[in-house]
Amino acid sequence: MDQSTRDPGSPGLLDLPMPKPAECPFGPAPEFARLRAEAPVTRVACPTGVTAWLVTRYADVREVLGDSERFSSRSGQVAHLMAHADPGRPVGEGEFTRMDGADYQRFRRHIGPEVSAPKRLAALRPAVQKVIDERLDALAAAGPPADLYWDFAIPVTTAAIGGLVGVPYADRELFHKAAAAVFTGTTSQAELATALQPLYQYLFGLVQRRRAEPGDDALSRMIARGDASDEPFTDFELVAMSAVMLVAGFDNTATVLAHGVLALLGDPGQLARLRSAPELVPAAVEEMVRLLGGAAGITRQAAEDTTIGGRPVAKGDLVLVAIQAADHDPSMFPNPERLDLDRRTDGHLGFGYGTHQCFGQQTARIELALALETLLRRVPSLALAVPFEEIPFKTDTAVIGPERVPVTWDEILPAGEAAR
Ligand code: HEM
């Protein structure tokens, strides 16, 4: 059956298992383990009213993400969760996340270098370190307690993506509000359009200014690269591209950081090991993304009649890949629920896999590693300020994680004095 538009759901179908942070704060709902063992490709009714094939085994999830010819991105990534993300809606101008093939590559080719070229990453490092140190100085001046998510992680990742695209920190409200609308499950299409309007208007002005006077930022370089190609970007495409970068580029990283530090604070053995061996920070980052990334899952759409894990799937059917469940598949990652700094994380799917794999993964790795290393070094007494059970979690969103992480400390060492 073609699932390209919303249907009223099918009574009697399994409801999509939703995150249950109170039961398992760092892993998928327990039903996912049962499904992986007993019904690894199964039909579910999603909260948005669509039905989809839920895929929970590592090998199957990787196969779907890795084959963009059989599994199109046309439905958008969150058709199962967000009321505004009707999989049947037309693809908007510049909405590259829902494109396939050559249409998609036209965008990826020009955005990719901005967020993954060694030169860009080298320039990002000192800028991110500066923001991290400034935020810790501000926390030291204000004194404990503070919210690690809103007072540290969000400002750091916001400044990083804003700086990268070329949007000053003072203008962050524009993309914060847009992101809140994009990632909230109940936002309607009309509400989304209203929420995006100020950001689009602002970015339209920025595109005009950068066309007239290019700066040292991603937007200026994307304009130049597009202009030098056979098919230059329209202003609207440039606005849409920048908007996606800004909206997708801060909360995911901030949430993994706050959620990951929460996991570490809850595991004194692993925390002590990391404190005594800071060279393990990159491994810790990778393990946090494996443990926590992709918790909301991603939708694809079958482009032809096919099979997944031996189950027939019809052209047009929606396929929901449970990335976090795949990364908790014990056949791939033994004792998957455990944050284990010494495990092999190669092949984890936390940043996705295949054609649409996360654009920003290298920048996210840099932000997470610098933030984690600096927190451990400058705040040796970092601790939760409330009992673990009192941490609230975001659930009605595509960016699942703690809503707040209240923390306290005895002392925040000055940046210069905390030896590296
Ligand atoms: C820890 C942080 C992050 C995680 C866990 C994460 C996860 C993901 C995943 C799983 C996808 C795949 C979507 C798909 O296959 O349809 C994705 C795509 C994407 N990510 Fe990230 N991401 C993170 C950080 C970032 C950052 C910092 C940026 C911006 C610099 C970014 C920009 C994007 C964009 C633009 C896409 C869409 C790619 C496409 O559809 O082609 N992400 N991300």
Side-chain angles (χ1 to χ4, degrees), residues 204-217:
F204 193 77
L206 194 63
V207 168
Q208 307 299 313
R209 291 202 297 282
R210 293 292 177 265
R211 275 203 191 284
E213 204 176 317
D216 183 17
D217 52 60

Side-chain angles (χ1 to χ4, degrees), residues 22-47:
E23 278 175 55
C24 37
F26 307 112
E31 289 97 306
F32 282 97
R34 184 185 64 75
L35 289 173
R36 209 170 36 227
E38 296 171 10
V41 181
T42 194
R43 213 83 177 116
V44 289
C46 303

Side-chain angles (χ1 to χ4, degrees), residues 182-265:
V182 169
F183 294 132
T184 300
T186 48
T187 307
S188 67
Q189 276 188 26
E191 287 164 344
L192 181 67
T194 307
L196 287 178
Q197 216 268 337
L199 176 64
Y200 274 40
Q201 205 170 349
Y202 171 91
L203 289 174
F204 193 77
L206 194 63
V207 168
Q208 307 299 313
R209 291 202 297 282
R210 293 292 177 265
R211 275 203 191 284
E213 204 176 317
D216 183 17
D217 52 60
L219 180 55
S220 301
R221 285 186 291 268
M222 290 190 303
I223 294 173
R225 254 200 300 270
D227 284 351
S229 74
D230 295 344
E231 204 181 344
F233 294 121
T234 65
D235 284 356
F236 196 88
E237 284 173 335
L238 287 160
V239 166
M241 288 153 79
S242 318
V244 167
M245 300 290 292
L246 291 166
V247 165
F250 72 98
D251 198 13
N252 254 333
T253 316
T255 299
V256 167
L257 177 59
H259 208 172
V261 172
L262 181 64
L264 270 179
L265 292 176

Side-chain angles (χ1 to χ4, degrees), residues 77 97 104 161 249 252-253 298 300 350-352 356 358-360 363:
Q77 300 167 0
T97 57
Y104 172 68
I161 191 64
N252 254 333
T253 316
I298 286 180
R300 292 286 192 259
F351 286 118
H356 282 258
C358 182
F359 264 46
T363 68

Side-chain angles (χ1 to χ4, degrees), residues 110-162:
H110 296 300
I111 303 178
E114 292 307 322
V115 281
S116 58
K119 187 174 164 198
R120 297 287 151 233
L121 296 176
L124 185 69
R125 223 167 244 287
V128 172
Q129 184 65 57
K130 182 164 178 283
V131 181
I132 290 169
D133 281 324
E134 284 169 1
R135 284 316 301 174
L136 287 183
D137 292 346
L139 294 185
D147 177 356
L148 191 75
Y149 175 56
W150 276 108
D151 299 333
F152 179 71
I154 289 278
V156 166
T157 60
T158 296
I161 191 64

Side-chain angles (χ1 to χ4, degrees), residues 47-77:
T48 52
V50 296
T51 54
W53 292 101
L54 175 68
V55 183
T56 44
R57 274 189 190 158
Y58 177 88
D60 295 335
V61 168
R62 189 172 151 119
E63 181 183 327
V64 171
L65 290 176
D67 192 340
S68 58
E69 288 190 8
R70 274 195 301 150
F71 300 102
S72 162
S73 288
R74 175 77 172 64
S75 62
Q77 300 167 0

